[in-house]
């Protein structure tokens, strides 16, 4: 509980920095919620799932700092979050490898809609990197949704991971829309809140994950 309170405090400070336009305070506070989740994760049973969720959180933390840095490091931040999605994908595959074709179709539809909206806005030299990123999101979503109903897994864990993955993808979509399509005043708040909730859900899925744990 202590780590979650630290994360909540960091979230509040970061939101205050957004309201006040304090970039330096935002850089200090932005990573605290994910850092707190990393320490919270250590309370879960050790194993491949926890290991790869931890790797995903580390890359997410790097992405947070890169996007908050005063210089334009968007491409590097994109790369860090790409690796985070792949780490979460690896965690989900460690639990279930069933085809789950309906989940695959849903993930492809979501990813296809996301890429179409961004591509129509004109991505220029970022077209290929964004296409790779959206592909990683689709794969991560597919395997998160594929855990739903998988034998031996706790329903609570599977739903937390699935909803967390969807919120993470929504946050990424909002980043793309606000940067390439249309910027709107509420974008920074919507992006960060869906991102934090998504990361919390993904991390919380590691608690009492299986019928034996």
């Amino acid at each position: 509980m202590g780590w979650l309170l630290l994360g909540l405090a960091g979230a509040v400070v970061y939101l205050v920095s957004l309201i006040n336009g304090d970039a330096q305070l935002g850089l200090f506070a932005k990573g605290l919620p994910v850092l707190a989740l990393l320490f919270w994760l250590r309370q879960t049973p050790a194993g491949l799932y926890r290991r790869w969720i931890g790797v995903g959180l580390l890359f997410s933390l790097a992405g947070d700092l890169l996007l908050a840095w005063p210089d334009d490091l968007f491409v590097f931040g994109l790369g860090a979050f790409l690796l985070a999605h792949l780490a979460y994908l690896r965690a989900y595959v460690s639990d279930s490898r069933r085809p789950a074709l309906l989940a695959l179709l849903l993930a492809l539809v979501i990813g296809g809609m996301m890429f179409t909206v961004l591509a129509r806005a004109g991505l220029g030299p970022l077209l290929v990197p964004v296409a790779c990123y959206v592909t990683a999101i689709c794969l991560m979503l597919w395997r998160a949704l594929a855990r739903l109903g998988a034998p031996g897994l706790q329903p609570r864990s599977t739903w937390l991971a699935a909803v967390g993955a969807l919120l993470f993808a929504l946050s990424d979509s909002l980043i793309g829309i606000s940067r390439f399509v249309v910027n709107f005043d509420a974008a920074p708040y919507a992006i960060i809140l869906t991102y934090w909730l998504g990361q919390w859900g993904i991390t919380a899925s590691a608690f009492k994950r299986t019928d034996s744990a």
Side-chain angles (χ1 to χ4, degrees):
M1 182 61 72
W3 292 116
L4 292 181
L5 289 176
L6 173 64
L8 181 60
V12 170
V13 172
Y14 181 72
L15 291 174
V16 169
S17 77
L18 287 181
I19 295 170
N20 295 334
D22 190 334
Q24 288 187 336
L25 180 62
L27 180 61
F28 165 76
K30 190 177 184 183
L32 288 178
V34 171
L35 184 63
L37 290 177
L38 265 167
F39 284 104
W40 186 49
L41 180 69
R42 292 179 62 84
Q43 300 176 21
T44 65
L48 272 178
Y49 192 87
R50 188 182 85 170
R51 182 185 309 163
W52 284 105
I53 295 296
V55 171
L57 288 171
L58 281 172
F59 281 121
S60 297
L61 179 59
D64 283 339
L65 299 178
L66 288 168
L67 292 184
W69 203 255
D71 298 325
D72 186 2
L73 300 177
F74 178 78
V75 173
F76 296 99
L78 193 74
F81 283 118
L82 170 68
L83 294 173
H85 284 298
L86 293 177
Y88 292 149
L89 165 66
R90 179 64 183 88
Y92 300 146
V93 169
S94 73
D95 267 353
S96 173
R97 298 195 178 191
R98 59 181 187 161
L101 297 181
L102 184 59
L104 175 60
L105 177 61
L106 179 58
L108 288 174
V109 168
I110 292 172
M113 292 172 59
M114 183 191 308
F115 185 71
T116 299
V117 169
L118 297 178
R120 284 181 176 176
L123 294 172
L126 289 177
L127 181 65
V128 172
V130 170
C132 294
Y133 190 82
V134 172
T135 300
I137 291 176
C138 287
L139 292 172
M140 187 272 295
L141 273 177
W142 170 34
R143 298 322 306 169
L145 295 171
R147 293 176 75 248
L148 293 170
L153 297 180
Q154 287 284 349
R156 178 180 178 275
S157 170
T158 61
W159 278 104
L160 282 169
V163 173
L166 286 167
L167 287 171
F168 194 1
L170 174 58
S171 178
D172 284 333
S173 300
L174 291 172
I175 290 175
I177 290 169
S178 67
R179 185 177 178 91
F180 301 111
V181 183
V182 58
N183 195 11
F184 53 101
D185 292 340
Y189 304 97
I191 289 167
I192 200 64
L193 290 174
T194 52
Y195 168 73
W196 282 334
L197 288 172
Q199 295 282 19
W200 177 85
I202 291 169
T203 306
S205 71
F207 287 81
K208 297 181 180 178
R209 194 180 90 257
T210 66
D211 291 335
S212 59

